[in-house]
Amino acid sequence: MSLAEKKDESLYEYSQNLPSVEERRLKEPVPFVVPQSKLKKVSKLEKIVFCAFVVTFLFLSIATIKMTTAINREEEAITTVQQEMNASKNSIEKLEQEKNELLRADRVKGIAEKSEIELREDNIRKIK
């Protein structure tokens, strides 16, 4: 046998155990599968509902902040008005006290005597 004959495999009879197509496919290495994004599994309706919840939450939080600010402003205005009322009441009380002091009978009689006005009891009346 020459060297050329040895290289020719068709001359030798032996059974080749070649794997079938299915066996080759099963033995192939399986590539690592990257998991799909979770957002791809969510339907459009679910995305819309979620976005609606987020927008509603943001709207309500902004509305709450605005209402709180408006309430604080009104409370401040009410407090200012109450302070003005208290100041007015205090000034009214002081003026009434001063009026009562000026209308005392002793004081009026003293002024009348200094001015040399005659005292007639039937002409004296209480001034309100």
Side-chain angles (χ1 to χ4, degrees), residues 26-128:
L26 289 175
K27 289 183 180 180
E28 287 180 3
V30 179
F32 178 72
V33 179
V34 178
Q36 285 185 341
S37 173
K38 290 185 180 181
L39 287 179
K40 289 184 180 177
K41 293 180 184 177
V42 178
S43 69
K44 285 185 179 182
L45 179 64
E46 290 172 336
K47 290 178 186 177
I48 291 171
V49 169
F50 180 75
C51 290
F53 279 130
V54 169
V55 169
T56 304
F57 176 75
L58 291 175
F59 176 76
L60 289 177
S61 62
I62 291 171
T64 302
I65 291 170
K66 284 186 176 183
M67 289 300 293
T68 304
T69 305
I71 289 170
N72 288 340
R73 276 193 222 129
E74 293 303 319
E75 285 178 349
E76 186 178 329
I78 289 170
T79 304
T80 304
V81 170
Q82 286 177 342
Q83 288 174 349
E84 290 174 3
M85 284 177 48
N86 289 338
S88 297
K89 284 180 183 178
N90 289 340
S91 94
I92 289 171
E93 288 174 1
K94 286 180 183 178
L95 290 172
E96 285 180 359
Q97 184 179 2
E98 191 176 324
K99 178 188 88 167
N100 290 335
E101 288 176 6
L102 291 174
L103 292 177
R104 277 190 340 227
D106 297 337
R107 183 177 178 277
V108 173
K109 285 180 184 177
I111 293 173
E113 287 175 2
K114 286 181 186 177
S115 302
E116 298 175 1
I117 298 176
E118 286 184 27
L119 179 62
R120 293 184 196 155
E121 293 293 330
D122 56 337
N123 286 341
I124 296 177
R125 59 186 164 168
K126 191 167 188 175
I127 301 172
K128 294 183 182 178

